[in-house]
Amino acid sequence: MTYAAILLTCWLSLTGLTGHQEPKPILSVTDIDRLINTYKPLMSDLENLGTKIKNKKDPNLLMGYAASDEAASIFRRHGWDEAFFKKYGVISQSYVYLQTEAQVEKMPDQDRDYMRQSLEPYRTALKKQVHDKDLELVRAHFKRLQDFFDSLK
């Protein structure tokens, strides 16, 4: 990964990171396990729901009305509740940060310090959205998550 790509990844990841209160820890090992084990079948079921809705006469009405109940049912069937998007966001934001941090550590000495400093604004923004305990939980399961995210490519 080039230095420019690393910086771009960091700054693009900041786009959803706004917040004023200190975040609370929301993740457990169970959440990480559930994400890894249910994501592909969950997305398949949601994709099938989308196809089903597109094939009906008034997709706008259905998307706004019926699809939300059906989608919520699909999430529940896979063990998720309304916290899915928040938890997925925390896991993915933490993973991207840790992935970038790992790439920086592989750089030549002359570039590493500069890149570490370049990561500080991202780390500061991340701390507004992700509790340190959640980041450390993702760090502890980084290899499993790396295998999971790689399998989605």
Side-chain angles (χ1 to χ4, degrees):
M1 182 179 274
T2 67
Y3 304 134
I6 290 171
L7 284 175
L8 180 61
T9 300
C10 291
W11 288 113
L12 287 176
S13 297
L14 285 174
T15 57
L17 298 176
T18 58
H20 303 290
Q21 294 180 327
E22 178 153 341
K24 295 179 180 165
I26 63 167
L27 294 180
S28 67
V29 174
T30 302
D31 295 319
I32 291 173
D33 291 341
R34 185 180 312 120
L35 178 68
I36 291 169
N37 294 324
T38 67
Y39 186 83
K40 286 181 181 179
L42 171 67
M43 291 300 121
S44 177
D45 287 350
L46 290 173
E47 186 175 311
N48 290 337
L49 174 62
T51 300
K52 177 177 150 187
I53 289 171
K54 285 180 186 174
N55 291 333
K56 300 226 176 172
K57 290 186 179 182
D58 189 353
N60 294 325
L61 175 66
L62 290 168
M63 287 301 283
Y65 180 72
S68 62
D69 289 341
E70 288 183 67
S73 174
I74 290 170
F75 279 101
R76 283 191 302 275
R77 188 170 57 238
H78 290 282
W80 290 101
D81 59 16
E82 63 278 351
F84 170 81
F85 293 104
K86 178 71 174 162
K87 289 181 178 189
Y88 179 75
V90 167
I91 291 169
S92 60
Q93 289 170 356
S94 299
Y95 175 79
V96 168
Y97 175 78
L98 294 171
Q99 179 74 12
T100 304
E101 186 180 70
Q103 291 297 321
V104 167
E105 294 308 312
K106 293 177 184 177
M107 291 180 176
D109 291 340
Q110 67 270 20
D111 299 325
R112 193 175 312 126
D113 288 338
Y114 171 75
M115 292 305 295
R116 282 181 185 153
Q117 290 174 358
S118 298
L119 279 177
E120 277 309 306
Y122 179 43
R123 174 72 172 135
T124 300
L126 184 69
K127 286 180 79 100
K128 292 179 182 177
Q129 290 293 309
V130 176
H131 192 277
D132 285 340
K133 287 183 180 180
D134 290 338
L135 180 64
E136 291 311 310
L137 183 63
V138 171
R139 186 184 306 275
H141 295 272
F142 182 81
K143 177 63 176 137
R144 291 178 60 217
L145 287 164
Q146 185 174 39
D147 292 344
F148 164 70
F149 283 115
D150 284 349
S151 78
L152 300 178
K153 294 177 185 174

